[in-house]
Amino acid sequence: MSPATVFERIGALRSWLEAHRVAGRRIGLVPTMGYLHAGHASLIRRARQECDIVVVSVFVNPTQFGPGEDYDRYPRDLEHDQALCEAEGADAIFAPPVVEMYPTGAPCTRVTVARVSEGLCGRSRPHHFAGVATVVTKLLNIVQPHRAYFGEKDYQQLAVIRTMVADLNLPVDIVGCPTVRESDGLAMSSRNSYLSPELRARAPAIYRALCAGRDAAQAGERSAGAIAARVKAALEPVPDAAVEYVEVVDAESLAPLQEVGGGAVIAVAVRLGGTRLIDNIAIKPVP
Ligand code: AMP
């Protein structure tokens, strides 16, 4: 376990990174909103394997939250995050105050990624992905990493970032990492801490429902509507679960599908009590 330097200022982080860049070291960035768990740890570990210098950013980005969403109560614990980063061998933590990232308040310049941002979560969170794309662009410009690591747990976010990096020719490799789950199947998320014990006990139904949809596809069901209906039927009996969407989409463009055949993903958003949870599962292409 080695100490990770915490940077709050862009200038100080850039000077520190410059020395490593000049020495020819490969830099990896893991952007997070903190309250780190084993899912984040898997991204840091992968970066540690592939890069010489690993920077973890911890920033609860206000511009990706809508009015009435959980920005104020989003869990924060930098001491815990630092311990996890050090246990995973990260070299630096970039934890800027909001004013460091947005010195003039809301920025005049925003990055919007059309089409891929618009369906799924984009429907109920219309400005969310512009907030994400803007802050990730800023983080990529600040750190200038060779590689940046994102989780497949937030599948649409990963697709938005990949599209943005390709469209803008940003000089970084985007690495997608598999979803880390609790032993009962629930996808790890900082927001799981909002769940009461009763709701937490019901939450694995989301993954079980996704598995039912995937299994139907593997058993030969080609109709996207029928696969989605299987997932919805599995979620219906769960008390206090309100399905926001269940969709079967193309794995790359995220366009809604009528039929599965190529790579596809089943994506869901469910409100359990007051907590909005998202998850997804891949459907393998038909050979
Ligand atoms: P967040 O702090 O929730 O914004 O997540 C930061 C990064 O960690 C994002 O790229 C997420 O997709 C990724 N991540 C969050 N939860 C998981 C998980 N359970 N497994 C893998 N990656 C995750």
Side-chain angles (χ1 to χ4, degrees):
M1 194 144 118
S2 52
T5 313
V6 179
F7 293 92
E8 292 193 352
R9 303 278 163 231
I10 294 167
L13 175 65
R14 276 192 166 146
S15 310
W16 180 82
L17 280 169
E18 191 51 26
H20 290 296
R21 215 184 312 278
V22 166
R25 300 194 179 110
R26 290 185 65 78
I27 297 165
L29 171 65
V30 181
T32 82
M33 297 207 298
Y35 212 65
L36 303 181
H37 51 64
H40 300 110
S42 74
L43 272 54
I44 301 170
R45 216 170 301 138
R46 175 89 179 262
R48 182 70 284 163
Q49 285 163 8
E50 298 179 353
C51 304
D52 302 310
I53 295 293
V54 176
V55 180
V56 178
S57 62
V58 173
F59 181 60
V60 185
N61 173 39
T63 69
Q64 69 189 67
F65 289 79
E69 291 187 351
D70 56 344
Y71 174 71
D72 287 328
R73 69 182 185 113
Y74 195 86
R76 294 159 167 91
D77 186 346
L78 189 57
E79 223 173 279
H80 158 86
D81 293 345
Q82 189 170 359
L84 186 144
C85 286
E86 292 182 349
E88 297 301 339
D91 300 289
I93 299 169
F94 179 48
V98 171
V99 67
E100 182 74 1
M101 292 295 277
Y102 301 112
T104 58
C108 297
T109 307
R110 283 168 76 80
V111 182
T112 58
V113 185
R115 292 200 289 280
V116 69
S117 296
E118 287 158 14
L120 305 176
C121 293
R123 224 167 275 131
S124 66
R125 308 185 75 192
H127 306 292
H128 171 67
F129 289 112
V132 170
T134 303
V135 81
V136 170
T137 302
K138 286 167 72 71
L139 291 168
L140 293 175
N141 283 334
I142 291 164
V143 176
Q144 297 180 32
H146 296 85
R147 291 187 164 196
Y149 296 80
F150 294 86
E152 290 173 354
K153 152 79 168 55
D154 299 281
Y155 197 86
Q156 189 174 16
Q157 170 173 281
L158 175 59
V160 166
I161 302 295
R162 283 194 195 286
T163 304
M164 173 185 89
V165 162
D167 285 353
L168 300 181
N169 306 98
L170 301 182
V172 61
D173 289 336
I174 299 301
V175 182
C177 303
T179 301
V180 176
R181 300 181 178 280
E182 303 282 0
S183 56
D184 59 13
L186 176 64
M188 289 196 174
S189 165
S190 308
R191 288 188 168 102
N192 292 348
S193 63
Y194 296 153
L195 297 170
S196 66
E198 291 74 20
L199 293 174
R200 171 64 188 81
R202 291 174 204 159
I206 298 171
Y207 182 58
R208 283 200 299 272
L210 285 169
C211 289
R214 184 223 24 218
D215 293 348
Q218 270 173 7
E221 180 60 75
R222 298 270 72 96
S223 156
I227 293 167
R230 196 72 69 93
V231 177
K232 282 182 195 153
L235 289 168
E236 218 152 75
V238 182
D240 300 312
V243 174
E244 184 182 303
Y245 66 76
V246 174
E247 286 197 46
V248 182
V249 296
D250 179 83
E252 279 177 27
S253 69
L254 306 192
L257 296 173
Q258 300 288 324
E259 295 251 307
V260 296
V265 166
I266 313 173
V268 302
V270 177
R271 275 189 188 282
L272 199 52
T275 301
R276 187 173 179 279
L277 300 174
I278 58 169
D279 201 352
N280 65 85
I281 199 166
I283 298 177
K284 291 206 180 76
V286 179

